[in-house]
Amino acid sequence: MTTDPALATLQQLDARHHLHPFNDNAALARKGTRILVRGEGCHVWDAHGQRLLDAFAGLWCVNVGYGRRELGEAAARQMDTLAYYNSFFACTTEPTVRLAAKLAELAPGDLNHAFFTNSGSEANDTILRMVRHFWAVQDRPQKNIVIGRRNGYHGSTVAGASLGGMAVMHRQGGLPIPDIHHIDPPFWFADGGDLDPDAYGLLAARRLEQKILELGPERVAAFIGEPIMGAIGVWIPPRTYWPEVERICRAYDVLLIADEVICGFGRTGEWFGQQYFGFQADIMPIAKGLSSGYIPIGAVMFNDRVAGVLKERGGELAHGYTYSGHPVCAAVALENIRLLQEEGIVERARREIAPYLAERWAQLGEHPLVGEARIAGLVGALELVPDKRVRRGFPEPGKVGTLCRDLALEEGLILRATYDAMLLSPPLVIGRAEVDELFEKAWRALDRTARAIGHASAA
Ligand code: PXG
């Protein structure tokens, strides 16, 4: 807790009345919450006035950076004109339609049809229902199983958490719901053994084929995966993985769902993760970078085939949210996309920043505490290990990562820790000087962590 009385009051109110997501709320109430007050570009300021380089873009989402007035202005304009109307009663609003058309233009392949939601979790709820409906209206109601991956993350609602493969989430609330199965994910660092990454990528993809054959292709509706597995620790699959998954899905007529909630809108340096890895999904949930986190909005993009069946044979879609296609959110998303396109933010991130960031990230990889420095465009991770020569983690996962995260904060740097991986996902507008700032702060945090734990290298 702080000594500043105004801040102390806020922290007490927070401790008393606010349950935080993904937190041990009792421990947090004792410690006191950090309150953020302002953001500009790649930096945020907390209530103590500490300036922090946000190398995590909020929660993987502030792609255009903080403080873009254009987005607030777009929201205000739309609120003044028409603050709300729905898309239910044979109605809609102009920004909603324009956003659907814009997304159809941007999305890879024939992902031409948008259904709007408020978040990535809701998008995945929508998907689970629509995928089952898609097969049911084609007289194949038994084709209702969705396969996801252990340690995958698809959100926190009942369907999202069920599709995801986080054991800790499944333990709360009796998940997964029926007819969702999980296979092992591709994570070469821990699971690749002596295989080279490309051979391992094929092996990991073929787990999907084994599972489809085990369940029977007539039972399997779809496969869902994040192009890069974000929340679990930025697990970047080998290049061979996704094309092989795509081949398998086509061979057994299983719909392929690429969860682009993190990868979408430039995170990898391409607009979508599918373009980075060279594959094409049938269905794509998006959120986060769609509005750069300035306002809640998500969507599901369906391809021509799926949307065609839903439209021609699906009857009335008994599904929708009060705020599906909210005009203010749509106006902000459109403005965000305008900035990304007209200012060439994604282009510049790929051409200028990604190579420099990769170079500096690799230098961090030379730190004795780092077993692997992986990166794809503007998303990466440092895997902290007891012994750099061995691809094995610490005996008590999470302790060292949490310490390193806290020390990074003291250095003025926000990095997320998942277990002992330090995650990177900065605003796409990060400049070279800020990449240097990131490197220096991260290196100091790694040094201090190594000393604090008596790491062999710090002796
Ligand atoms: N899919 C993916 C791939 C995500 O990363 C969601 C769906 C759900 O989106 P919403 O908007 O409902 O949160 C996500 C969200 C973390 C963390 O700790 C990651 C997410 C959310 C919260 C925490 O890294 N990703």
Side-chain angles (χ1 to χ4, degrees):
M1 290 277 179
T2 175
T3 49
D4 173 337
L7 193 50
T9 304
L10 265 184
Q11 287 181 325
Q12 280 159 12
L13 289 171
D14 186 68
R16 238 179 266 151
H17 302 293
H18 181 194
L19 288 170
H20 288 245
F22 284 99
N23 264 274
D24 175 339
N25 278 279
L28 182 62
R30 285 191 295 276
K31 190 173 160 217
T33 321
R34 179 187 293 269
I35 292 167
L36 282 302
V37 294
R38 191 164 79 80
E40 190 65 45
C42 294
H43 289 87
V44 291
W45 282 258
D46 71 13
H48 291 289
Q50 192 189 359
R51 177 176 176 270
L52 300 159
L53 175 60
D54 183 7
F56 202 57
L59 199 41
W60 321 87
C61 56
V62 188
N63 289 10
V64 297
Y66 295 92
R68 292 301 304 250
R69 305 189 67 83
E70 297 89 334
L71 297 186
E73 287 161 6
R77 270 197 308 275
Q78 185 59 42
M79 280 192 192
D80 286 346
T81 318
L82 178 66
Y84 175 78
Y85 209 77
N86 62 64
S87 297
F88 280 55
F89 311 128
C91 297
T92 193
T93 65
E94 180 172 349
T96 313
V97 179
R98 293 208 181 282
L99 180 59
K102 182 50 119 180
L103 290 172
E105 172 197 317
L106 278 174
D110 65 343
L111 291 164
N112 287 326
H113 313 266
F115 184 95
F116 289 109
T117 70
N118 303 290
S119 67
S121 299
E122 280 185 2
N124 284 320
D125 273 53
T126 295
I127 285 172
L128 182 66
R129 292 193 55 204
M130 291 302 117
V131 155
R132 288 178 171 170
H133 188 50
F134 169 83
W135 291 114
V137 298
Q138 297 178 91
D139 302 319
R140 302 180 72 180
Q142 294 302 314
K143 202 166 164 71
N144 69 339
I145 293 177
V146 181
I147 301 175
R149 298 177 298 181
R150 293 188 188 91
N151 287 313
Y153 190 83
H154 300 294
S156 210
T157 49
V158 169
S162 292
L163 294 168
M166 298 286 189
V168 287
M169 294 175 78
H170 290 171
R171 280 200 286 276
Q172 297 178 2
L175 304 178
I177 54 174
D179 290 325
I180 292 175
H181 291 251
H182 299 90
I183 58 172
D184 281 332
F187 186 39
W188 177 83
F189 179 82
D191 189 38
D194 295 331
L195 290 177
D196 74 68
D198 283 349
Y200 171 74
L202 291 176
L203 178 141
R206 287 177 191 152
R207 291 171 181 157
L208 174 61
E209 188 159 33
Q210 284 155 21
K211 183 56 92 179
I212 292 172
L213 292 173
E214 180 192 316
L215 296 163
E218 70 287 355
R219 290 293 325 272
V220 182
F223 171 72
I224 184 167
E226 309 149 77
I228 292 171
M229 298 175 75
I232 189 56
V234 186
W235 292 0
I236 304 168
R239 287 261 156 207
T240 47
Y241 181 79
W242 277 111
E244 181 66 2
V245 165
E246 183 180 22
R247 183 195 69 74
I248 293 164
C249 287
R250 302 286 167 249
Y252 298 99
D253 202 10
V254 165
L255 295 174
L256 176 50
I257 306 160
D259 185 337
E260 296 266 10
V261 167
I262 286 178
C263 287
F265 301 91
R267 182 50 55 205
T268 64
E270 302 287 342
W271 275 84
F272 295 94
Q274 290 158 82
Q275 292 149 340
Y276 185 85
F277 288 109
F279 73 104
Q280 179 64 49
D282 301 301
I283 301 176
M284 168 174 96
I286 50 179
K288 294 191 191 276
L290 168 57
S291 64
S292 285
Y294 277 62
I295 203 156
I297 181 168
V300 182
M301 300 304 295
F302 293 102
N303 71 4
D304 290 344
R305 176 191 176 198
V306 178
V309 169
L310 293 176
K311 278 187 182 172
E312 301 308 326
R313 303 181 62 167
E316 178 182 325
L317 286 188
H319 180 70
Y321 310 104
T322 301
Y323 302 131
S324 284
H326 193 293
V328 176
C329 304
V332 172
L334 275 171
E335 184 66 3
N336 174 62
I337 293 170
R338 188 185 73 73
L339 295 180
L340 288 172
Q341 283 193 310
E342 286 183 12
E343 296 183 2
I345 291 173
V346 178
E347 268 289 301
R348 178 186 153 277
R350 176 173 70 246
R351 292 238 190 105
E352 292 174 31
I353 292 305
Y356 187 60
L357 191 58
E359 189 184 316
R360 302 244 66 186
W361 203 242
Q363 288 166 357
L364 289 172
E366 287 162 21
H367 193 281
L369 194 55
V370 177
E372 183 181 67
R374 43 182 184 268
I375 193 159
L378 281 81
V379 58
L382 302 172
E383 195 74 36
L384 308 187
V385 292
D387 179 350
K388 205 175 171 58
R389 293 161 304 183
V390 188
R391 288 189 349 239
R392 191 182 315 124
F394 287 97
E396 208 185 320
K399 257 181 83 172
V400 178
T402 305
L403 175 66
C404 185
R405 179 200 64 192
D406 292 346
L407 291 171
L409 267 177
E410 283 182 22
E411 296 292 338
L413 173 66
I414 300 178
L415 284 176
R416 177 179 175 349
T418 298
Y419 299 109
D420 297 316
M422 308 310 298
L423 312 189
L424 171 78
S425 166
L428 305 184
V429 294
I430 190 169
R432 286 172 79 96
E434 287 160 327
V435 172
D436 292 338
E437 179 186 344
L438 168 76
F439 173 87
E440 278 148 28
K441 289 176 168 174
W443 189 274
R444 281 202 297 274
L446 290 168
D447 268 351
R448 287 178 63 190
T449 306
R451 276 202 303 279
I453 63 169
H455 192 263
S457 67

